[in-house]
Amino acid sequence: MAQGTPRTTASRWVADVAVVGAGIVGAAVARALAAGGARVVVVDRSEAAGGTSGSGEGNLLVSDKGPGAELAMAQRAVQLWPALAAELREELRTGLPGGFPDLELEPKGGLVVATTDGGASALRAFAATQRPAGVHAVELDAAGARALEPGLTPEVALAVHYPDDAQVQPVVATEALLASARRRGAVVLTGAQVTGPLLAEGGARLAGVRTSRGDVAAGAVVVAAGPWSGEVSSLLGAPLPVLPRRGVILVTTRQPHQVFRKVYDADYVGAVGSGDADLQTSTVVESTASGTILIGSSRERVGFDGALRVEVLRRLAAGALTLFPGLAGVPVMRSYGGFRPYVPDHLPVAGPDPRLPGLWHATGHEGAGIGLAPATGELVADLLLGREPALDAAAFSVARPSLAPHLAEPLAEPLAEHPGGSGGAAA
């Protein structure tokens, strides 16, 4: 691949790689590629972190993942995050008055709590499957759990402490990754809606994207558009079954520090792994560096319907009071929702699409994209740049057996050139 900044002539950019999506996954992919010498253009119909990355809690979790490929990616990300944060801090400490905002990377750990005997049995069994895979999971009784979280309910049947869980400020992290990519020559085009593909070899190969700000010609296109990846991949000619899964968060006013870790009930793991489209809630409570307390979590597949429903808010608040009775009377100053990129087999998709040469994916992380972003960026860059990946790339491939039943039929014939226009999907 050529070194340096993408070339531009008459509203046309020429790059090695076009990345569709300026959320944290797209930003991580762009930085990893630019650091490897690739010419990169990032396009997004909105602003950086304007979608899912701006609507999350910033969780970096191993606690909710059973043995397998996603846990391996999470463990790799846990290794990468501290060094990445330090590198970004050093790179970006000049250039802004007062320096770049802090990423607020906090290795606070997680605490999973069961309040029933049945929940305790399931939690103990789940932790037992994680330990052989290298996860630090420490069982605690009620007294041990309350020693870590004094405000916790005394009705604890069992708790498991996960010291490797952490938290980061997702919007700042996204902006920092993009700023670092720019310093390495990447171009970031916001307000650039993808309207169609650029095709080569008689329509048999993707050679870039058309956007509302001009064409981006590229040897590879990486779709990292979060829950909009299904629309973008369909527009480009190889549909991927990524659907939006809505979640809502309550935010309290600033409080004295009273929640010291990410604390969630034992039902959370089941909700994450469920494919049910109906509303599911489980309790998640954690503090932020600013002093607010975040309360989640909900999951439901309602398309891109962004309406807040009182039933969801009520269930979240009730769950928080079950774990932390002392939160009664604490004001909630706002609530907000967002959409997670859901894939039916609950695994991220990262790598080339065999149905359409030139098309790549980095999506489908559901609620784990913030945490998994550095490992995803590393994996995609390793594959694109011909390096040996640290992870098993086949596990995240479009061609994996668990995803095959959900894919549309492979392309039977070359695509026609898309005429472009304003009606296309966007990242």
Side-chain angles (χ1 to χ4, degrees):
M1 292 186 175
Q3 301 278 336
T5 302
R7 291 184 286 111
T8 176
T9 56
S11 297
R12 179 182 175 92
W13 286 264
V14 179
D16 297 312
V17 185
V19 178
V20 182
I24 195 165
V25 172
V29 169
R31 181 186 188 268
L33 285 167
R39 298 174 301 168
V40 180
V41 173
V42 181
V43 299
D44 196 297
R45 72 169 180 186
S46 181
E47 300 296 330
T52 300
S53 298
S55 303
E57 298 168 87
N59 294 323
L60 318 179
L61 304 183
V62 296
S63 56
D64 62 342
K65 298 171 180 63
E70 188 179 26
L71 176 58
M73 179 176 273
Q75 291 171 310
R76 178 61 179 164
V78 164
Q79 295 173 346
L80 294 173
W81 263 112
L84 175 60
E87 290 171 11
L88 292 172
R89 187 181 305 112
E90 180 63 24
E91 286 179 31
L92 304 176
R93 61 191 175 93
T94 59
L96 285 176
F100 203 88
D102 188 71
L103 270 62
E104 299 177 13
L105 178 62
E106 184 180 0
K108 60 170 59 175
L111 188 68
V112 187
V113 178
T115 56
T116 66
D117 290 341
S121 296
L123 177 56
R124 179 177 286 117
F126 183 70
T129 67
Q130 295 174 298
R131 292 189 189 97
V135 175
H136 301 296
V138 182
E139 284 192 20
L140 300 172
D141 59 13
R146 284 170 59 82
L148 295 181
E149 293 289 344
L152 195 63
T153 175
E155 305 299 322
V156 175
L158 178 75
V160 177
H161 179 221
Y162 291 89
D164 290 334
D165 283 358
Q167 187 177 25
V168 74
Q169 214 297 331
V171 175
V172 176
T174 302
E175 293 280 12
L177 288 163
L178 288 173
S180 177
R182 286 189 185 98
R183 289 196 170 199
R184 290 166 166 81
V187 173
V188 180
L189 301 178
T190 55
Q193 180 165 318
V194 173
T195 58
L198 292 175
L199 296 164
E201 300 174 13
R205 179 179 182 82
L206 186 62
V209 290
R210 296 191 183 281
T211 85
S212 56
R213 292 190 58 186
D215 294 348
V216 180
V221 175
V222 181
V223 176
W228 295 273
S229 295
E231 297 180 19
V232 175
S233 60
S234 294
L235 183 67
L236 297 181
L240 197 67
V242 182
L243 299 171
R245 200 177 190 192
R246 180 164 168 74
V248 175
I249 294 172
L250 302 179
V251 186
T252 74
T253 56
R254 293 181 64 181
Q255 300 295 313
H257 202 183
Q258 56 187 298
V259 181
F260 301 94
R261 290 156 191 84
K262 178 186 175 71
V263 182
Y264 62 88
D265 68 38
D267 292 334
Y268 178 80
V269 173
V272 170
S274 171
D276 198 331
D278 294 335
L279 173 65
Q280 300 172 73
T281 59
S282 54
T283 303
V284 182
V285 183
E286 61 189 312
S287 60
T288 70
S290 67
T292 61
I293 298 172
L294 306 180
I295 298 169
S297 70
S298 65
R299 282 172 164 77
E300 56 184 334
R301 296 215 311 271
V302 291
F304 285 103
D305 181 359
L308 293 178
R309 296 195 287 125
V310 173
E311 174 196 359
V312 179
L313 306 182
R314 183 182 295 119
R315 286 169 65 167
L316 296 180
L321 292 177
T322 298
L323 283 185
F324 289 92
L327 292 179
V330 170
V332 172
M333 66 176 180
R334 67 186 180 100
S335 62
Y336 64 91
F339 301 99
R340 307 175 182 92
Y342 166 88
V343 174
D345 67 352
H346 301 285
L347 267 180
V349 184
D353 194 319
R355 300 170 297 171
L356 181 60
L359 176 62
W360 291 64
H361 302 283
T363 189
H365 300 77
E366 198 169 329
I370 306 298
L372 300 180
T376 303
E378 178 188 63
L379 175 59
V380 172
D382 284 344
L383 294 173
L384 263 168
L385 299 175
R387 303 183 304 222
E388 184 68 25
L391 294 170
D392 175 15
F396 305 99
S397 168
V398 178
R400 63 187 186 243
S402 60
L403 194 59
H406 307 283
L407 290 176
E409 289 297 317
L411 297 174
E413 58 187 35
L415 291 168
E417 180 75 20
H418 193 287
S422 60

